[in-house]
Amino acid sequence: MLYHFSENPGIKTFVPRKPPGRGGLPPVVWAVDEAHAHLYYFPRDCPRIVYALSDGVSDADKRLLFGPGDSGTVIAIESAWLERLRETDLYRYTFDERDFRLLDATAGYYTAERQVTPLSVEREGDLLAKLAATGAELRIVPNLHPLREALLASSVSLFSVIRFRNAQPLR
């Protein structure tokens, strides 16, 4: 199964749209696989950085970016978004994988170039509890810019910066 997350509970049909920042793609409907679904347990416009431990991460970067926690995945959001995370009603739309084609296996992205009707829609409930259940470490930081710069300068190769255009300006 594939999923799309929305704050709108009443979408009957998903219509392809031109993706912002991806000029080479035609209008598409986006979906994500189950392994990456937890990366979307957030308000739609919430900026976040997700990174994971992998081979090749230096000991210094492990200490700096992962710290003493036991999780191999860290998800960071800005403190300005915490209340919205607590209050957001999020809905998970489920799709049949046969309607989509794989776009990016690392990110779990799938796209469809035609209208798609969801098989079901379910309210997600307590997003903080759902995130905690994933085993990822959720970090609340005042500003994402320093973390992004640290990751870019690090040996961490598995990271994603989502909706960064909505991050607080660097102070």
Side-chain angles (χ1 to χ4, degrees):
M1 294 294 169
L2 298 176
Y3 307 106
H4 182 93
F5 294 89
S6 176
E7 294 168 45
N8 180 348
I11 303 171
K12 301 296 182 204
T13 302
F14 284 75
V15 178
R17 295 184 307 173
K18 189 76 176 154
R22 297 236 184 182
L25 282 180
V28 294
V29 175
W30 288 89
V32 65
D33 63 21
E34 189 164 356
H36 296 87
H38 66 285
L39 305 180
Y40 295 90
Y41 293 164
F42 296 89
R44 177 173 177 79
D45 289 330
C46 179
R48 54 202 177 273
I49 296 175
V50 181
Y51 57 100
L53 194 55
S54 64
D55 293 339
V57 175
S58 71
D59 288 341
D61 286 338
K62 285 179 191 175
R63 285 190 301 279
L64 175 69
L65 296 164
F66 293 89
D70 192 29
S71 178
T73 301
V74 176
I75 304 172
I77 67 168
E78 292 178 328
S79 52
W81 283 87
L82 181 57
E83 195 58 34
R84 282 178 266 191
L85 177 62
R86 287 185 180 131
E87 295 176 353
T88 294
D89 285 327
L90 195 66
Y91 299 88
R92 182 186 71 194
Y93 289 85
T94 302
F95 297 107
D96 187 327
E97 190 173 324
R98 292 177 292 190
D99 293 331
F100 290 80
R101 67 176 175 81
L102 178 63
L103 178 69
D104 182 338
T106 302
Y109 292 153
Y110 289 74
T111 59
E113 293 182 21
R114 60 179 180 77
Q115 289 187 17
V116 182
T117 303
L119 301 173
S120 65
V121 60
E122 294 178 34
R123 185 175 176 274
E124 283 298 296
D126 183 343
L127 298 177
L128 281 173
K130 290 188 75 62
L131 285 164
T134 69
E137 178 181 339
L138 180 63
R139 290 189 186 167
I140 311 300
V141 299
N143 190 290
L144 288 174
H145 285 268
L147 177 58
R148 179 177 174 265
E149 294 308 311
L151 282 165
L152 289 171
S154 77
S155 59
V156 175
S157 61
L158 295 177
F159 68 92
S160 179
V161 180
I162 302 169
R163 301 275 194 259
F164 196 70
R165 66 184 174 275
N166 298 327
Q168 298 285 328
L170 186 58
R171 299 170 202 178

